[in-house]
């Protein structure tokens, strides 16, 4: 049987087909249906009915095949449907039912193949004598929601008719799906949808928000499309509430349900607007209603949630959007996508990433006599979107189903979202004016549960003071060692006595209860003595680290205004101006010892202040946190159960006393009778020395910031595995990424010592939470778990209204309880702002501290720290948590520590820099990047990975982010050591590498790609090498041997380094000869010249070729034979049509008159079979040779076949024809230098010199032109046309984007800057002028045998062109060319970036090649053809075209 | 501060220790907190607090110290 004719696809079919090419072999487009049939089933009747449906609806018997890369549909009459029956019956009904579920799943999930008809399958399972399940699965390309109803009704009618033995009563179908597809295409082509498109352009204008929901898992680089569903039946009262909301708001229930979904998404993702897709039946006329097929259309609804409207206001907004969408629903979604051409990430759907569907036509329309029919829910196991919500009215109630991407979400999360949806709808119904941000998402029970997670309500009453407890220890064990420093010890009695003496002196100076005393001391026993003394005097201490810069000390002094400042003599010089009393602790002023403590004026209580520690706020102004004795005493009371600290413990005082972890260290030892080892400065800075101190002193409690511990652990790994006395290692001060513990756990396990993460804030007294860390926490990519609060504290994750956020949602950590500081010293407004009333605590009048830290509660009830609210990074619109990237880096065994920081690029966009340190084994940056690339999406990959020996730390032991080096021009880490270039070639190559990569120097063994090179840079490098070394290095060489020495060797092999031009010139000259044996020339018949019947055109699938084709169709009656590379004639036609359509020059006339010729310019004999070549030689009246392989990077060798040999073949063909002139399209690029006369190059001037032509392309065109001109000299009628650069259609603006001017313009727009001093002339000729001129000249006998310059007689300075660009509405800053080039060079994504090499060359003196077109103009004088000037109007047309096609962004 | 916080009306509240803070004006203050009668934007309320909250020690401490003089 002959195949039936093919027909085009509808636009939506085309899109589905395209998606299927991206992810072939999935069940993504399966629409599965299933019904349970109870009763007597007539299998034959059912099978017959299904076959009848298949026969009736062409769509189901369709296969999609590909013709020349384009899909077409082909209806096949021969296909049949088998309905296999699987017997699952057995004695165990439960087992049978389980088997049936498996069977159903398999039915739904087995892919249907688009290239095989039918696009449906059906199967029956028998579970018992009177119990069957029917499963029907149809490909979405032939089916939609409406089709379900059609299928069910027809199935019922056909089955019934068969049972009743009568004919089927179904009216004739007025048309089939392919008719609809053709109708749709015609409607679109006719411009009928222009208004609709305009609506969508407006409705979806501006930056559309990407759906940014907090996901359970990191989004994969490419979507996996695996999905699952959860469902929830809304109770009747909730369904009634929806109906009531709809009535009250004058909207449909659909709008209420959609509005609720949008509100939920907005709340959950913290977005001010969301785009939700929604299907529209698309059966826009009655004749479509009885068809099975893919008619459903999607509309994108951009719903504005900004301004925190009430739900009623939201409904008004939704209604407006929805009505607008209905009114403009006929334009296919695909066309809207094309029109808006949004920036596309391969892992996100365009325009919207979620859909909302109201199923109005459920699958319950099936009536089968003698059978009870029950629809079954089946799912194909895929998800096209992050989330898809569908609501159906089912017998059991209004059912909400959420299909979710299982790569992103857990089932529990999806189920919780449905709960929240219900809660939100109820809340909205109860109080429609409630602002969206205040609508409840969780019900009272869940609220209570979440709050309870962060509360335990324990209370630890404390008495006395810190120093009082210390004194108690001194009385009990006076001789026990209290303090060790560099081998010297102080007993408790000695320490107490020294502190008493200083305290007495302070009292003498007027220090009293609640006074403040400043401390400005080096790390020493004096620090401890002074702290004790200040407390004993009744006052609170204000510590300032000796390493603080002067201005910071000055700010603290002026804020706290302590009346006495205790200093070390050595630090006096560094003191800023201070007008209080200076007490030099190591001077004559202080007696050494005193047995008794002085009395404070008022007896001290636990509510007296103990210290004021200054922390840096996000504003940069330090804030003094005032903490009481009680705050600290209860800290130890509350953790007693956990740690059981006692007098056996040895604590290092490692941290600066100006950082509150020191408070924990100091009192951890002194309150319990333990020993405090004051760590000397030098030791604290040297991890190995510190590790030795910990060993030698028998330290039992080690406190570290995670960053400092990385160094400690590394030092430990280098030491002999001797016993450490450690009981506890406690982390504080920074987020702990569990991955950083892997080395330690490998050496020491997780039991001795035990490791504990303590999240804390100065404002809540050192620590808040306790979380033991074990090996189990090393699961890759586990985020920082901070555990539960200490028993007397409360910890909540709340939203901006102090309401608990749902599980999994990001909120701000709030802390309540007796750890809260008294206040920010002297800052009532700041205190009132950050310490707010606690609505949840048991204590009336209690406060909550708003931490500014982000966290979420995991489904397991754990609190996960997510970073600072003010450290959020957004890259290319994606919210990024640096911690997530850091934890992946740490997952590499060689990585010790990792910090990821955002950095602004010159364009103001953020990019990520990763800093890593290694231990032992080192790996290449490329390997790390590879690891990240496997696990993280592209937008999360660091731009650079910088390897450091150590991470810089602040005095507090945290990573000093400000001190991280700017990734500048230093040669980044590579596996290889730097090796000097050994000869001039290597040096030149190394210099080129360095210049292109922006590095100081590059070693000869360094790998281009390891050093940050990528394919765009590679292109630039090749340009540069060609200039510097006159080498013909092909780009691929760089990919094969990307090292300096490898490239240098390749350059030597190719005879580079200045030798080549002569060789090349010789080669080119040798090849610039016409093929031998030419005969048969005749002067062309003028009649034939102007009125050809058949012409041959090469290059019709190119830009100029498409316009030449149009010109030939317009101005002649000839059939145009187009030589095209393709598998067959049909595909050749498709390619030509595709190009012509792209530039808007396709019409029916063209379709009728083109004659595709399958061939290949680069193949011998043009790849034509002998009869075809003969036929052409006999029929063709003219040859237009426009085809060429255009590539500015390929060397001559790679272009010769197409551009030189192909031309020779055409010369031969012209010769054989005996009459056809050859019209050859060349380029002004064949001039390498100004002509000898020094003026503009004229048509008759000598081209070349060939040896100076830089590009393989221009070399090949030069040779091709020589071949044609020499053939002309031998008598062949030819014309040669040298266009300059070709711009778009001067009428429609349609343009290709390859010309470098467009890329420069795009680059300017991207960079927001332009080179104001660019005097280069742009010589652009609109393509319609070039094509018209070529054809006009080809008809003119005077033009034969001559060269024609198709250049613009009025070249325009680049600055003027850029002026038009600015006038068009792009705001650009004027820079010098050098500044501008630097800005472009800084952004490898800039469109002008790959051109920098060319631009630099073109911007200098040799940019002055000019072309004269006097001779050509004289010939064209008689025609109306005049080259349009590139003026404001024309530029406006081009720019409009570029904006419309998405090449350029819309202007502001 | 979020847009919501800025747009909302706030009340100056105080607890029994004479510690000040702010609370949404349309919600009853939590137990142990009392409205001072002062309303306005969050900024205005905080500005007011800066004026009136001059001794930041809790009331119980102030009373104890006073009694012991």
């Amino acid at each position: 049987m002959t195949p039936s004719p093919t027909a085009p696809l509808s636009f939506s079919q085309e899109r589905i087909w395209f998606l299927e090419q991206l992810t072939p072999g999935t069940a993504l487009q399966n629409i599965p249906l299933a019904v349970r049939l109870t009763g007597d089933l007539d299998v034959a009747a059912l099978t017959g009915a299904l076959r009848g449906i298949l026969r009736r609806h062409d769509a189901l018997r369709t296969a999609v095949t590909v013709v020349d890369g384009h899909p077409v549909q082909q209806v096949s009459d021969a296909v049949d449907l088998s309905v296999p029956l699987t017997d699952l019956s057995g004695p165990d009904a439960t087992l049978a039912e389980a088997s049936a579920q498996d069977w159903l799943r398999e039915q739904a999930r087995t892919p249907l193949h688009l290239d095989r008809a039918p696009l449906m399958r059906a199967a029956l399972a028998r579970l018992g004598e009177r119990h069957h399940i029917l499963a029907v699965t149809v490909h979405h390309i032939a089916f939609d929601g409406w089709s379900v109803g059609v299928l069910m009704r027809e199935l019922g009618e056909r089955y019934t008719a068969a049972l009743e033995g009568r004919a089927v009563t179904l009216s004739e179908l007025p048309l089939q799906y392919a008719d609809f597809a053709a109708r749709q295409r015609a409607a679109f082509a006719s411009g009928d949808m222009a208004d609709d498109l305009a609506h969508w352009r407006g409705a979806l204008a501006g930056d559309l928000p990407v759906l940014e929901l907090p996901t359970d898992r990191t989004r994969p680089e490419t979507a996996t499309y695996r999905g699952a569903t959860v469902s929830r039946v809304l109770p009747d009262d909730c369904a009634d509430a929806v109906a009531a909301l709809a009535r009250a708001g004058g909207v449909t229930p659909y709008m209420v349900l959609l509005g609720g979904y949008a509100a939920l998404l907005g709340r959950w993702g913290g977005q001010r607007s969301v785009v939700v897709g929604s299907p529209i039946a698309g059966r826009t006329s009655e004749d479509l209603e009885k068809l099975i097929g893919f008619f459903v259309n999607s509309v994108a609804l951009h719903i504005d949630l900004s301004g925190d409207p009430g739900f009623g206001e939201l409904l008004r907004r939704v209604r407006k959007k929805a009505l607008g969408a209905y009114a403009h629903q006929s334009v296919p979604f695909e066309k809207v996508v094309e029109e808006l051409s949004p920036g596309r990430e391969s892992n996100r759907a365009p325009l919207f990433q979620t859909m909302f569907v109201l199923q109005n036509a459920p699958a319950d329309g099936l009536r089968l006599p003698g059978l009870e029919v029950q629809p079954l829910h089946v799912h194909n196991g895929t998800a096209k979107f992050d989330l898809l919500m569908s609501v159906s009215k089912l017998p059991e109630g209004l059912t909400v189903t959420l299909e979710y991407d299982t790569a992103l979400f857990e089932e529990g999360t999806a189920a919780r979202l449905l709960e929240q949806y219900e809660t939100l709808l109820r809340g909205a119904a109860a109080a429609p004016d409630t602002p969206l941000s205040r609508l409840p998402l969780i019900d009272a029970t869940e609220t209570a549960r979440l709050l309870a997670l962060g509360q335990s309500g324990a209370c630890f009453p404390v008495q006395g003071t810190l120093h009082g407890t210390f004194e108690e220890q001194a009385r009990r064990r006076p001789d026990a060692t209290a303090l060790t420093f560099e081998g010297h010890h102080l007993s408790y009695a000695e320490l107490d006595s020294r502190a008493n003496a200083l305290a007495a002196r302070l009292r003498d100076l007027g220090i009293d209860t609640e006074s403040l005393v400043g401390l400005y001391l080096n790390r020493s026993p004096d620090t401890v003595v002074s702290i004790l003394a200040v407390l004993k005097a009744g006052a609170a201490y204000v510590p300032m680290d000796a390493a603080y810069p002067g201005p910071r000390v000055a700010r603290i002094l002026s804020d706290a205004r302590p009346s006495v400042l205790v200093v070390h003599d050595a630090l006096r010089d560094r003191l800023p101006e201070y007008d209080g009393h200076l007490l030099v602790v190591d001077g004559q002023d202080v007696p050494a010892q005193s047995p008794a403590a002085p009395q404070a004026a008022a007896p001290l209580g636990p509510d007296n202040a103990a210290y004021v520690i200054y922390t840096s706020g996000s504003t940069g102004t330090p804030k003094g946190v005032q903490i009481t004795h009680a705050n600290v005493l209860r800290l130890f009371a509350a953790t007693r159960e956990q740690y059981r600290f006692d007098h056996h413990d040895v604590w290092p005082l490692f941290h600066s006393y100006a950082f509150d972890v020191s408070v924990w260290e100091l009192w951890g030892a002194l309150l319990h009778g333990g020993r405090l080892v004051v760590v000397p400065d030098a030791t604290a800075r040297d991890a190995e020395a510190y590790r030795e101190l910990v060993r030698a002193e028998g330290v039992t409690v080690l406190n570290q910031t995670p960053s400092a511990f990385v160094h400690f652990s590394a030092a430990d790994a280098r030491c002999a595995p001797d016993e450490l006395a450690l009981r506890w290692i406690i982390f504080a001060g920074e987020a702990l990424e569990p991955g950083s513990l892997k080395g330690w756990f490998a050496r020491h396990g997780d039991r001795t010592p035990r490791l504990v993460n303590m999240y804390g804030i100065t404002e809540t007294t050192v620590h808040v939470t306790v979380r033991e860390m074990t090996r189990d926490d090393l699961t890759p990519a586990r985020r920082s778990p901070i555990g539960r609060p200490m028993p007397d504290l409360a910890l909540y994750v709340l939203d901006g209204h102090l309401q608990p956020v749902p599980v999994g949602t990001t909120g701000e950590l709030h802390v309540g309880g007796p750890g809260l500081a008294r206040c920010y010293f002297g800052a009532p407004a700041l205190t009132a702002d950050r310490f707010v009333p606690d609505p949840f605590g048991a204590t009336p009048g209690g406060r909550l501290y708003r931490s500014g830290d982000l966290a979420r509660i995991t489904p397991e009830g754990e609190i996960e720290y997510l970073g600072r609210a003010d450290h959020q990074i957004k890259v290319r619109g994606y919210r990024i948590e640096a911690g997530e990237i850091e934890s992946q880096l740490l997952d590499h065994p060689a990585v010790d520590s990792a910090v990821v920081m955002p950095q602004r690029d010159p364009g103001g966009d953020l990019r990520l820099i990763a800093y890593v340190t290694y231990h032992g084994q080192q790996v290449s940056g490329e390997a790390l990047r590879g690891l990240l690339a496997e696990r993280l999406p592209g937008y999360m990959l660091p731009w650079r990975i910088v390897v450091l020996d150590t991470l810089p730390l602040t005095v507090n032991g945290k990573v000093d982010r400000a001190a991280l080096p700017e990734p500048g021009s230093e040669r980044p880490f590579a596996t290889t050591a730097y090796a000097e270039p050994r000869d001039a070639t290597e040096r030149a190559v190394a210099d080129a590498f360095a210049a292109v990569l922006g590095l100081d120097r590059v070693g000869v063994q360094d790998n281009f790609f390891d050093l940050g090179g990528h394919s765009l840079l590679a292109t630039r490098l090749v340009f540069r090498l060609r200039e510097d070394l006159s080498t013909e290095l092909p780009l691929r060489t760089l990919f094969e041997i990307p090292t300096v020495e490898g490239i240098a060797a390749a350059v030597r092999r190719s005879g580079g380094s200045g030798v080549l031009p002569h060789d090349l010139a010789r080669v080119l000259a040798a090849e610039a000869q016409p093929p031998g044996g030419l005969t048969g020339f005749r002067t062309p018949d003028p009649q034939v010249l102007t009125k050809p019947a058949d012409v041959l055109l090469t290059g019709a699938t190119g830009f100029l070729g498409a316009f030449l084709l149009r010109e030939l169709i317009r101005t002649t009656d000839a059939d145009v034979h187009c030589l095209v590379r393709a598998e067959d004639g049909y595909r050749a036609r498709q390619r030509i049509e595709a190009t012509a359509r792209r530039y808007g020059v396709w019409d029916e006339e063209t379709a009728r008159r083109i004659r595709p010729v399958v061939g290949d310019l680069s193949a011998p004999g043009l790849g034509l079979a002998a009869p075809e070549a003969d036929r052409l030689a006999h029929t063709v009246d003219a040859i237009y040779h426009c085809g060429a392989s255009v590539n500015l990077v390929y060397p001559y060798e790679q272009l010769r076949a197409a551009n030189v040999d192909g031309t020779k073949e055409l010369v031969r063909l012209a010769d054989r024809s005996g009459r056809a002139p050859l019209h050859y399209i060349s380029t002004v690029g064949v001039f390498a230098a100004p002509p000898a006369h020094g003026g503009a190059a004229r048509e008759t001037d000598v081209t070349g010199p060939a040896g100076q032509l830089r590009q393989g392309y221009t070399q090949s065109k030069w040779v091709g032109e020589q071949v044609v001109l020499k053939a002309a000299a031998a008598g062949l009628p030819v014309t040669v046309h040298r266009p300059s650069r070709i711009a778009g259609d001067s009428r429609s603006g349609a343009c290709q984007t390859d010309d470098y001017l467009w890329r420069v313009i795009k680059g300017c727009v991207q960079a927001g800057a332009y080179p104001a001093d660019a005097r280069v002339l742009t010589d652009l000729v609109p393509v319609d002028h070039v094509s018209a001129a070529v054809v006009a000249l080809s008809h003119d006998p005077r033009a034969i045998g001559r060269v024609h310059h198709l250049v613009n007689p009025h070249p325009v300075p680049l600055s003027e062109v850029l002026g038009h660009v600015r006038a068009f509405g792009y705001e650009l800053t004027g820079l010098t060319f050098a500044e501008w080039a630097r800005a472009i060079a800084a952004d490898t994504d800039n469109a002008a970036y790959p051109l920098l090499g060319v631009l630099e060359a073109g911007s200098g003196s040799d940019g002055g090649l000019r072309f004269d077109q006097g001779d050509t103009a004289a010939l064209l004088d008689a025609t109306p053809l005049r080259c349009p000037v590139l003026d404001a109007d024309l530029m406006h047309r081009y720019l409009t075209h570029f904006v419309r096609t998405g090449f350029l962004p819309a202007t502001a | 501060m979020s847009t919501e916080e800025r747009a909302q009306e706030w009340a100056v509240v105080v607890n029994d220790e004479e510690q000040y803070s702010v609370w949404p004006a349309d919600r009853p203050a939590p137990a142990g907190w009392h409205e001072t009668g002062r309303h306005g934007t969050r900024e205005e309320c905080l500005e007011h607090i800066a004026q009136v909250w001059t001794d930041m020690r809790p009331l119980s401490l102030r009373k104890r110290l006073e009694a012991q003089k």
Side-chain angles (χ1 to χ4, degrees), chain A residues 390-556:
Chain A
S390 60
V391 182
S392 336
K393 211 164 196 159
L394 296 182
E396 53 269 40
L398 201 57
T399 305
V400 191
T401 301
L402 201 57
E403 181 182 87
Y404 58 95
D405 187 331
T406 50
L408 303 177
F409 301 108
E410 308 271 0
E411 181 179 355
T413 303
R416 271 191 303 279
L417 268 183
L418 288 186
E419 279 175 45
Q420 293 168 20
Y421 184 58
E422 181 182 330
T423 308
L424 182 140
L425 285 175
R426 283 176 189 279
D433 292 335
T434 313
L436 296 184
S437 71
R438 300 272 290 275
L439 283 177
L441 291 183
I442 45 181
D443 60 19
T445 321
E446 176 69 356
T447 304
R449 186 185 77 86
L450 290 174
L451 290 175
L453 283 176
Q455 300 166 323
S456 67
C459 182
F460 301 92
V462 290
Q463 291 175 348
T465 57
L466 288 166
H467 57 279
T469 312
F470 162 77
E471 286 160 1
E472 180 58 34
Q473 291 289 353
R475 269 193 297 281
R476 211 182 294 161
R477 298 170 60 245
D479 298 328
T481 306
L483 188 151
T484 301
F485 180 67
E486 295 186 323
H488 301 286
H489 305 285
L490 279 182
S491 69
Y492 267 80
E494 287 165 334
L495 178 58
D496 192 35
S497 171
R498 281 187 58 181
N500 283 341
L502 181 57
R505 185 77 190 95
L506 288 169
R507 290 283 290 137
D508 291 348
L509 292 170
I511 292 304
D512 202 347
T513 310
E514 292 284 318
S515 302
L516 294 186
V517 175
L519 303 182
Y520 189 53
L521 301 168
N522 282 318
R523 192 191 286 257
S524 67
D526 290 339
T527 319
V528 182
V529 170
S530 303
I531 288 171
L532 279 168
V534 172
L535 300 184
K536 280 166 179 276
Y541 68 95
V542 183
M544 287 160 282
D545 194 281
Y548 280 175
R552 185 175 168 95
V553 174
R555 270 207 302 276
I556 293 175

Side-chain angles (χ1 to χ4, degrees), chain A residues 1390-1435:
Chain A
N1390 188 289
Y1393 182 86
L1395 300 171
L1396 282 177
V1398 185
L1399 287 177
E1400 278 158 10
S1403 63
S1405 55
D1406 66 346
L1409 260 183
R1410 287 174 296 117
F1411 305 99
D1412 184 279
Q1413 45 111 48
D1415 292 356
T1416 311
L1419 289 174
L1420 290 173
D1421 201 36
T1423 72
L1425 291 175
R1426 296 293 176 270
C1427 183
V1429 181
L1430 189 61
D1431 58 10
D1433 277 356
L1434 187 52
M1435 275 304 291

Side-chain angles (χ1 to χ4, degrees), chain A residues 1310-1328:
Chain A
Q1310 287 173 326
Y1314 71 102
D1317 57 351
R1319 287 177 307 275
V1320 185
L1321 291 176
T1322 59
D1323 181 354
L1324 282 174
V1325 193
V1327 65
D1328 49 327

Side-chain angles (χ1 to χ4, degrees), chain A residues 23-38:
Chain A
T23 51
T26 71
L28 190 62
Q29 307 296 349
N30 282 11
I31 300 182
L33 305 169
V35 286
R36 189 186 300 276
L37 304 171
T38 316

Side-chain angles (χ1 to χ4, degrees), chain A residues 1177-1192:
Chain A
H1178 287 112
T1179 52
V1180 163
D1181 298 322
I1183 299 172
Y1184 294 83
H1185 179 28
C1186 177
S1189 177
V1190 184
N1191 187 305
L1192 300 185

